[in-house]
């Protein structure tokens, strides 16, 4: 665990939120594995970060539920290849195990190795994994090496990643996928630019942003207000765009009312080719 860097360590924090779902009155998803990656130090960080804006944690629950829904829907529509970018301790390959559907985790080598070690110590076989910095390698070539078919439709789940990446590298990465993978959908979440710039004018949002970055020793670099710039710079087409809070209001019977700050966390799905 000691060779996992700060960005990698954010995966423990998210697992620390997901492990709480089982105690909820209205659980939105099932992740019985999250607790394998959490200790009391992580639980304390989660508590501290959301002390000022507890509703903020709801958005991460909605996010988990949203990406689950996308995977479920895509599998129902015939998707057979699912790549989880910056997978951290995402256990959907097991939760959504389906005959004929292949999953692949992509994350930094130390994170992939740690996850593998935890799973194997519990008697669980991890899914295929590509240990790499996906911004620095030829990911399509690595996927092909792992026997993913670049000519068949692919779904990329890119959850909790884009805020940590420089904007230009995001565009370059997406263009790289577009050039080599014939047909794909990529689903991702992002903050509005005002969250990144700390210009929301909302003290609770700024305090929560600061608390997160301080507790995890990371910096959020990039946000988007909509998908127009991403479409323009990558040639991908937006198929879906919305706020996590609106999604949450549709799925969570206990969604809080009247918290405008919660509209600053968004998601989108981009497509290339026929996928
Ligand atoms: C906030 S965690 C999210 C983990 C998981 N997707 C989830 O939502 O639970 C971010 C993860 O992305 C990984 N990550 C970020 N940038 C990456 C990159 N350029 N290459 C590989 N992994 C990356 C980190 O190592 C970390 O595991």
């Amino acid at each position: 665990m000691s060779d996992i860097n700060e960005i990698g360590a954010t995966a423990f924090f998210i697992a620390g939120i997901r492990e709480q779902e089982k105690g909820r009155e209205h659980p939105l998803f099932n992740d019985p594995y999250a607790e394998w990656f959490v200790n009391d130090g992580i639980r304390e960080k989660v508590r501290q970060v959301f002390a000022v804006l507890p509703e903020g944690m709801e958005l991460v629950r909605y996010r988990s539920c949203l990406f689950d829904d996308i995977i479920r829907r895509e599998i129902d529509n015939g998707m057979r290849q699912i790549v989880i970018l910056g997978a951290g301790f995402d256990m959907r390959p097991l939760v959504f195990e389906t005959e004929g559907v292949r999953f692949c985790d992509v994350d930094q080598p130390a994170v992939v190795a740690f996850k593998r070690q935890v799973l194997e110590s519990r008697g669980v076989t991890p899914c295929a994994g590509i240990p790499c910095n996906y911004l620095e390698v030829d990911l399509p070539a690595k996927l092909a090496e792992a026997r993913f078919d670049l000519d068949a439709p692919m779904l990329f789940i890119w959850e909790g990643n884009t805020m940590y990446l420089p904007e230009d590298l995001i565009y370059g990465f997406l263009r790289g996928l577009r050039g080599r993978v014939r047909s794909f959908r990529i689903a991702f979440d992002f903050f509005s630019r005002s969250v990144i710039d700390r210009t929301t004018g909302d003290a609770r949002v700024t305090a929560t942003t600061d608390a997160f970055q301080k507790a995890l020793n990371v910096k959020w670099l990039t946000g988007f207000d909509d998908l127009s710039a991403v479409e323009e710079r990558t040639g991908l087409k937006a198929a879906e765009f919305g706020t996590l809070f609106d999604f949450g209001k549709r799925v969570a019977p206990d969604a809080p009312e009247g918290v405008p700050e919660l509209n600053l966390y968004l998601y989108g799905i981009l497509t290339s080719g026929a996928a």
Side-chain angles (χ1 to χ4, degrees), residues 4-220:
I4 294 181
N5 65 15
E6 283 90 349
I7 301 283
T10 60
F12 292 99
F13 185 88
I14 300 300
I17 297 174
R18 281 203 303 263
E19 75 152 354
Q20 296 184 33
E21 197 63 16
K22 60 184 183 309
R24 291 274 188 158
E25 191 182 349
H26 303 289
L28 298 180
F29 57 86
N30 174 37
D31 181 356
Y33 309 98
E35 65 188 40
W36 295 357
F37 301 96
V38 181
N39 60 27
D40 284 343
I42 291 158
R43 291 183 185 106
E44 178 54 21
K45 280 191 180 161
V46 172
R47 202 193 55 72
Q48 277 170 11
V49 166
F50 293 108
V52 175
L53 183 60
E55 299 91 339
M57 196 164 90
E58 300 302 294
L59 295 177
V60 185
R61 299 178 64 219
Y62 304 159
R63 165 181 134 180
S64 289
C65 179
L66 168 81
F67 284 100
D68 277 8
D69 271 19
I70 293 170
I71 291 177
R72 217 177 273 122
R73 189 205 312 164
E74 290 297 327
I75 291 177
D76 286 350
N77 289 340
M79 185 63 76
R80 292 293 173 260
Q81 309 190 95
I82 302 178
V83 179
I84 308 188
L85 295 169
F89 306 125
D90 181 324
M91 289 297 290
R92 294 189 180 101
L94 228 69
V95 173
F96 291 102
E97 195 169 18
T98 307
E99 178 80 33
V101 177
R102 297 192 61 213
F103 285 88
C104 180
D105 277 356
V106 179
D107 208 303
Q108 303 184 76
V111 176
V112 174
F114 180 78
K115 184 177 188 177
R116 176 167 288 270
Q117 183 196 319
V118 170
L119 295 186
E120 286 176 351
S121 74
R122 305 253 183 182
V124 171
T125 308
C127 73
I130 300 182
C132 68
N133 178 334
Y134 56 69
L135 296 176
E136 290 178 353
V137 299
D138 179 350
L139 185 65
K142 296 253 177 213
L143 285 167
E145 266 169 42
R147 293 184 300 104
F148 276 70
D149 181 353
L150 304 187
D151 290 323
M154 229 177 258
L155 171 66
F156 291 94
I157 296 293
W158 204 15
E159 180 183 9
N161 273 232
T162 57
M163 53 289 284
Y164 301 102
L165 310 176
E167 187 169 346
D168 276 344
L169 297 189
I170 291 176
Y171 298 139
F173 174 69
L174 291 172
R175 282 195 297 265
L177 290 185
R178 181 168 172 246
R180 303 279 295 287
V181 182
R182 184 188 294 259
S183 140
F184 67 88
R185 298 171 85 81
I186 183 161
F188 65 111
D189 52 303
F190 49 97
F191 293 115
S192 91
R193 285 186 196 273
S194 62
V195 172
I196 307 295
D197 302 344
R198 304 170 85 258
T199 56
T200 61
D202 185 308
R204 296 206 304 162
V205 172
T206 306
T208 306
T209 305
D210 289 351
F212 179 83
Q213 301 193 32
K214 187 160 176 249
L216 281 289
N217 196 22
V218 290
K219 199 156 167 42
W220 288 336

